[in-house]
Amino acid sequence: MRTSRLWTSSLLATLLVGLGGTLAAVPAAQADTVLPPLPTAPEGDVPGVNDWGCRPTAARPVPVVLVHGTFGDRRHLLERLSKAILATGSCLFSLDYGNRGTDDVVRAAGQLKTFVDKVRAATGAAKVSLVGHSQGGMMPRYYIKNLGGAAHVDDLVGIAPSNHGTRLIPSANPVAALVPGLICVSCNQQAWGSAFLRELNAGDETPGDVSYTQITSRYDEVVVPHTSGYLAPGPRTTNVTIQDKCRFTIAEHVLIPMDNAAIGMTLDALAHAGPADPSYQPRC
């Protein structure tokens, strides 16, 4: 039953993110959607996440903030990753933003900034590391580039990030013409060639003294092609596809945050200075 729900979520995400392909020229900032406030995680946090009394240690001095994707929330799909990060001894925090990530990405980045400021104030840490799934891997780049985040972020790990958007064919979505932008502003902004992404990716794609790790799946059915999640090569950038590490893994867009290789590469990125080691071999 759980697997069935995950695949249903995957199909929904594929359909709705694909709506963005019809409106590739939307402006970077616009009104929020017509959706009412949506529920997030009724069970609350994974135990240990959002412990505002947590203090970083000498071994793990940088708190970690998890950032969910479009239609996601601070808990679901991220439980296994949360437990793996907590097991390293890191302070771990996670937020809900943008009415399940459907609202304007610019507004969402402002919410991330506020949350990071709260984490830094509570923990006394100068910087945090950000780990995000899908939109959650891309949206923090707006915070880093435009909202002062470059001074406060150590690592950004994107798991199936929508850095350059999706090329999903609009004609495959028969409802696209009926609801353009009404239920998912951020979907439009994540379309390949959108005005938002052109602005975000103009100039230096990896600004600041931030380490960037992008983890993708060859079977991603939402961020298409999966290599659109990659960022420009550089000394602080690692781009990796999980099938190059674990040949037989079938994790796609929805399941990738739970994949052993994706979690292993994330933990490696957080364990040392710089991005994930491209030669690191995670457990498959």
Side-chain angles (χ1 to χ4, degrees):
M1 180 66 72
R2 183 178 181 214
T3 300
S4 176
R5 287 197 299 268
L6 288 171
W7 281 106
T8 299
S9 298
S10 177
L11 290 172
L12 177 63
T14 301
L15 174 66
L16 293 179
V17 172
L19 298 181
T22 66
L23 292 177
V26 295
Q30 51 185 278
D32 289 344
T33 72
V34 298
L35 294 175
L38 299 173
T40 55
E43 313 96 321
D45 297 311
V46 171
V49 178
N50 289 331
D51 174 5
W52 296 98
C54 186
R55 295 294 177 268
T57 64
R60 292 285 174 169
V62 181
V64 179
V65 175
L66 285 182
V67 190
H68 66 75
T70 312
F71 311 116
D73 62 57
R74 70 185 188 276
R75 175 167 184 156
H76 298 109
L77 302 181
L78 302 175
E79 295 99 330
R80 195 160 183 256
L81 179 59
S82 296
K83 291 174 182 177
I85 294 173
L86 287 168
T88 69
S90 295
C91 294
L92 180 61
F93 301 86
S94 189
L95 77 157
D96 291 313
Y97 68 88
N99 205 19
R100 297 193 75 99
T102 61
D103 287 344
D104 172 38
V105 177
V106 175
R107 188 187 303 267
Q111 294 172 333
L112 177 62
K113 171 182 167 58
T114 298
F115 190 80
V116 169
D117 288 347
K118 181 180 177 182
V119 170
R120 292 175 54 241
T123 61
K127 293 186 176 185
V128 302
S129 287
L130 304 175
V131 176
H133 174 221
S134 191
Q135 181 190 161
M138 175 275 293
M139 175 269 282
R141 293 179 53 226
Y142 189 93
Y143 161 59
I144 291 169
K145 181 176 182 178
N146 298 306
L147 301 180
H152 305 306
V153 176
D154 187 25
D155 279 273
L156 171 59
V157 180
I159 301 174
S162 52
N163 286 322
H164 296 95
T166 177
R167 283 189 183 271
L168 286 178
I169 302 172
S171 61
N173 302 315
V175 301
L178 302 178
V179 286
L182 293 180
I183 61 174
C184 186
V185 172
S186 70
C187 293
N188 294 341
Q189 293 170 309
Q190 292 174 87
W192 187 285
S194 73
F196 172 79
L197 288 176
R198 290 198 304 271
E199 177 185 332
L200 178 65
N201 292 317
D204 186 0
E205 291 189 352
T206 56
D209 189 23
V210 180
S211 298
Y212 295 86
T213 299
Q214 287 67 237
I215 303 167
T216 73
S217 171
R218 194 165 288 124
Y219 302 125
D220 196 320
E221 76 286 21
V222 175
V223 177
V224 178
H226 72 91
T227 51
S228 71
Y230 286 179
L231 292 175
R236 293 177 290 102
T237 302
T238 292
N239 297 309
V240 63
T241 296
I242 57 174
Q243 284 79 19
D244 291 337
K245 297 295 181 180
C246 295
R247 179 177 171 187
F248 298 109
T249 185
I250 60 172
E252 39 60 79
H253 191 80
V254 170
L255 298 179
I256 189 172
M258 295 177 272
D259 178 77
N260 285 336
I263 291 174
M265 294 302 295
T266 298
L267 296 183
D268 182 69
L270 300 176
H272 54 76
D277 182 349
S279 67
Y280 175 72
Q281 178 56 53
R283 180 174 64 89
C284 295

